[in-house]
Amino acid sequence: MNVETPRAEHPVCQLLERQDADYRGWWWIAPPRDAWLEAGQGVAVSADLTVREAWRGAGGKAHSPFFPEPAGAEATPAGAVLFWPKSHALGEWWLLWLCATLPEGTPLRLVGENQGGIKRVLKVLAALGLGCRKLDGARRCSLFETRLGRVGIDSAAAWTTFDAGLAGEPLTLASHPGVFGHGKLDDGTRLLLEALPGTLPFEGRELLDMGCGDGILAARLARQGARVSAVDVNAFAVEATRRSLAANGLAGEVLESDVYSALAGRRFDAIISNPPFHQERAIDYGPAARLIGEAPDHLRPGGALIIVANAFLPYPDRLERAFGRFEILADDRRYRVYRAIKR
């Protein structure tokens, strides 16, 4: 019995689907979730753990840009398709990484939504000395083609550091394009940090930083004597947090995890988070809903969930359902800091 190949759902995938091209053996770089892609025969390279798990769940192959690296025939694909991200700096990093990773002359196609800035790749490629031609355009998306070459720029240069110290206490954080709050201290995280003192003792407590980003919460908690675990679904964030802890001489466990997926059976004295609610340009409450709804299963009795969120987000109802009650620790009209305790 033949299984019908799924049709492309995402506009950029629909644009690729209509091309007269054999993509078997190609690399798909930073792809969106799409059944048509996941049913193909290429290799996904993504910093997003959920994307890699979806590909593997469909019987495909997927890798992180950090580890493990593809080997054998997978390491020399017939070509690659880069899905241009919302962050142009991240798109440029992927280009530099591809130029350094794949053989010179490897075909590269770049696809993205027009409103997401895909047309900017013309200037980016020209600056790198790479030629480019437009292959197609439809559904408010564009597809370009080039060939990889040696560009003499190290992709590692995208890693930067900045000081996120509070109250005169310096704290060095590592940052990378695509990591939340890239290169600066987010206002919501600042409010959360200001509200934390006095909420619970940190010394010797097991605390979880959920959605660790650049590691500011993990580093602050570790500096105050907590035993910190930090998780994020984004491999760039995991690497940034590891670098941030190391830069400040601090210890902590840092894991890739889709919310609690890497933490089965584990419980903490507190879970602290500035949870995301965007996936690219779309609002996505899924991760935050799971963070709140499953938190009681990962807290010890008396343990607290402490989160900061935009004031308009519908989290009070979710906190009420999960914990029975909650309190607001801080509110500056833009953001609120909530605490809910497991009874």
Side-chain angles (χ1 to χ4, degrees):
M1 179 179 175
N2 294 328
V3 179
E4 185 177 351
T5 302
R7 304 293 296 179
E9 302 166 349
H10 196 287
V12 294
C13 295
Q14 292 171 348
L15 179 58
L16 289 166
E17 184 184 32
R18 78 181 202 165
Q19 306 305 306
D20 182 19
D22 182 359
Y23 289 115
R24 286 177 295 180
W26 282 48
W27 280 9
W28 303 94
I29 310 298
R33 289 295 314 278
D34 192 283
W36 174 74
L37 281 178
E38 292 158 13
Q41 299 181 40
V43 176
V45 181
S46 176
D48 189 325
L49 177 63
T50 62
V51 170
R52 301 199 306 271
E53 289 183 337
W55 278 67
R56 291 166 184 160
K61 297 178 180 179
H63 299 277
S64 163
F66 296 109
F67 50 82
E69 293 184 1
E74 292 179 28
T76 54
V81 177
L82 171 58
F83 294 84
W84 196 253
K86 180 176 68 172
S87 166
H88 296 301
L90 180 56
E92 292 168 8
W93 181 88
W94 277 115
L95 272 175
L96 296 176
W97 182 84
L98 284 164
C99 285
T101 303
L102 295 183
E104 189 171 357
T106 300
L108 173 67
R109 293 187 172 185
L110 305 97
V111 65
E113 297 180 16
N114 295 337
Q115 66 177 6
I118 180 61
K119 294 182 179 180
R120 181 176 175 177
V121 302
L122 293 169
K123 292 184 178 179
V124 174
L125 291 169
L128 294 175
L130 301 176
C132 180
R133 69 186 182 103
K134 184 173 182 178
L135 288 181
D136 200 0
R139 300 187 181 277
R140 298 180 182 176
C141 300
S142 296
L143 175 64
F144 298 93
E145 183 177 55
T146 187
R147 288 186 178 271
L148 296 173
R150 296 292 172 253
V151 296
I153 303 175
D154 188 353
S155 62
W159 285 102
T160 58
T161 60
F162 69 102
D163 179 32
L166 293 174
E169 183 182 9
L171 185 72
T172 299
L173 296 182
S175 188
H176 191 281
V179 175
F180 175 72
H182 175 45
K184 64 181 184 299
L185 177 58
D186 170 70
D187 289 339
T189 301
R190 183 188 299 275
L191 185 67
L192 174 59
L193 288 168
E194 292 171 348
L196 280 178
T199 58
L200 72 163
F202 297 112
E203 184 74 32
R205 297 297 183 95
E206 289 189 73
L207 306 183
L208 173 64
D209 176 4
M210 174 64 73
C212 53
D214 55 25
I216 184 168
L217 292 176
R220 282 284 172 193
L221 297 169
R223 179 170 281 179
Q224 295 178 55
R227 288 181 289 162
V228 174
S229 295
V231 300
D232 204 294
V233 74
N234 185 327
F236 292 112
V238 170
E239 180 66 15
T241 295
R242 287 174 177 157
R243 292 183 181 216
S244 293
L245 290 171
N248 295 281
L250 300 169
E253 173 189 46
V254 191
L255 302 170
E256 278 191 295
S257 184
D258 179 12
V259 193
Y260 298 105
S261 66
L263 302 169
R266 296 184 58 181
R267 297 193 176 197
F268 300 88
D269 296 306
I271 300 169
I272 303 172
S273 180
N274 182 352
F277 66 96
H278 280 112
Q279 179 65 32
E280 286 288 327
R281 286 177 295 277
I283 291 179
D284 180 7
Y285 295 136
R290 290 167 54 202
L291 162 65
I292 295 170
E294 298 173 27
D297 295 332
H298 293 276
L299 287 170
R300 298 187 175 106
L305 172 67
I306 305 174
I307 64 172
V308 64
N310 293 73
F312 67 85
L313 292 172
Y315 294 163
D317 289 345
R318 297 185 185 278
L319 290 164
E320 191 77 32
R321 288 197 297 270
F323 289 90
R325 58 182 176 176
F326 66 91
E327 60 183 318
I328 297 175
L329 299 179
D331 186 343
D332 67 359
R333 297 189 178 183
R334 291 179 61 206
Y335 301 99
R336 289 178 187 157
V337 178
Y338 301 94
R339 177 172 62 178
I341 297 174
K342 180 179 179 178
R343 304 300 178 181

